[in-house]
């Protein structure tokens, strides 16, 4: 496989969360240092974002699992150990891309691709992130988590910071995927910082953050 072929595959596995922890740390570091790789990751995030934002988790029925098992090719010989990750990655990417095709061509054929990734809010460890996307046509921000477990007894609150102006609360993050916030596109620029603070349940009692800022990133690509 050539380097040109490896780059999209590497970015896709990163977005899908199919890498081991050590590889993910390396790719996260590269994400902040390699603009071309960052752009490739953004391309995959945008490709998969429609499914994340518009669908909800549904547990498959036992009958569906049986149908899937019967449809899989039967073989008494397991793939060689060195080829297993690529074998399963192929299944995962095929399923994900199939979902994108179904979403774009069947579920919402008339919906334009308006979502644009504008910021990655990173925390500690660095592989815990929030992806912020903007739908300019609907004046809507979409915020989704990557490798983040939401706190049970506290709240995560999203803030917009522009220059020396006081932080402006955009609302609470209440779920891992598809948190929506109304905000006109002209309210953001490339000097805007988005941050998430850890607050008491229900949000900050102050006009600004009362707890620590745990995720932060600059707005780009506007």
């Amino acid at each position: 496989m050539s380097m040109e072929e490896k780059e999209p595959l590497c970015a896709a596995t990163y977005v899908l969360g199919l890498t081991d922890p050590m590889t993910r740390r390396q790719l996260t570091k590269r994400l902040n240092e390699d603009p071309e790789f960052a752009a490739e990751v953004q391309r995959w995030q945008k490709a998969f974002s429609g499914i994340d934002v518009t669908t909800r988790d549904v547990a498959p029925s036992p009958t569906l699992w049986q149908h899937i098992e019967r449809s899989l090719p039967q073989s008494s010989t397991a793939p060689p150990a060195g080829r297993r990750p690529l074998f399963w990655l192929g299944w995962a990417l095929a399923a994900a891309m199939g979902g994108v095709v179904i979403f774009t061509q069947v579920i919402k054929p008339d919906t334009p691709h308006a979502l644009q990734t504008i910021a990655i809010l990173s925390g500690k460890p660095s592989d815990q992130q929030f992806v912020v996307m903007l739908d300019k046509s609907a004046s809507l921000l979409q915020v989704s988590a990557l490798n983040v477990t939401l706190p049970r007894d506290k709240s995560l609150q999203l803030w917009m910071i522009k220059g020396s102006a006081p932080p402006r609360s955009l609302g609470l993050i209440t779920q891992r995927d598809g948190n929506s916030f109304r905000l006109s596109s002209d309210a953001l620029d490339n000097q805007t910082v988005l941050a998430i603070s850890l607050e008491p349940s229900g949000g900050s009692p102050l006009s600004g953050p009362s707890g620590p800022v745990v995720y932060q990133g600059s707005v780009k690509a506007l």
Side-chain angles (χ1 to χ4, degrees):
M1 182 180 294
S2 67
M3 183 61 66
E4 290 78 8
E5 294 172 321
K6 287 182 179 180
E7 284 295 276
L9 186 62
C10 187
T13 56
Y14 179 84
V15 173
L16 291 172
L18 299 177
T19 59
D20 59 81
M22 180 178 294
T23 301
R24 185 164 188 85
R25 286 194 295 271
Q26 293 172 346
L27 292 179
T28 299
K29 184 175 184 293
R30 185 182 171 193
L31 186 67
N32 298 320
E33 299 174 349
D34 185 344
E36 292 185 1
F37 180 67
E40 189 68 31
V41 168
Q42 280 195 356
R43 187 175 72 84
W44 282 103
Q45 288 170 336
K46 185 174 182 180
F48 297 139
S49 64
I51 298 175
D52 291 337
V53 170
T54 60
T55 59
R56 58 186 179 86
D57 293 337
V58 177
S61 66
T63 303
L64 178 58
W65 278 121
Q66 293 171 6
H67 178 74
I68 293 174
E69 289 177 353
R70 288 195 299 268
S71 67
L72 291 175
Q74 301 297 316
S75 174
S76 58
T77 304
R83 294 178 59 190
R84 287 177 188 170
L86 188 57
F87 173 81
W88 288 112
L89 174 58
W91 275 99
L93 288 178
M97 290 308 299
V100 171
V101 171
I102 291 172
F103 173 79
T104 57
Q105 297 186 5
V106 179
I107 298 177
K108 287 198 172 183
D110 299 324
T111 301
H113 295 284
L115 285 171
Q116 172 190 3
T117 302
I118 61 167
I120 304 292
L121 311 186
S122 299
K124 293 183 179 180
S126 58
D127 64 342
Q128 295 183 4
Q129 301 171 330
F130 280 88
V131 179
V132 182
M133 309 188 79
L134 174 66
D135 183 343
K136 292 184 179 180
S137 62
S139 299
L140 193 71
L141 280 183
Q142 297 278 3
V143 181
S144 298
L146 290 176
N147 300 318
V148 175
T149 300
L150 300 187
R152 293 185 178 182
D153 55 348
K154 292 190 176 183
S155 294
L156 294 177
Q157 191 162 355
L158 180 65
W159 303 86
M160 180 178 70
I161 306 169
K162 297 187 69 172
S164 59
R168 171 186 168 187
S169 175
L170 300 182
L172 300 180
I173 294 174
T174 58
Q175 55 194 20
R176 283 180 49 81
D177 300 315
N179 297 276
S180 299
F181 305 93
R182 289 287 175 185
L183 185 68
S184 60
S185 58
D186 57 7
L188 302 169
D189 56 37
N190 290 334
Q191 281 71 52
T192 304
V193 172
L194 296 175
I196 297 174
S197 63
L198 183 64
E199 302 292 345
S201 181
S204 173
L206 307 177
S207 58
S210 66
V213 171
V214 288
Y215 301 95
Q216 180 174 312
S218 299
V219 171
K220 298 179 180 179
L222 283 179

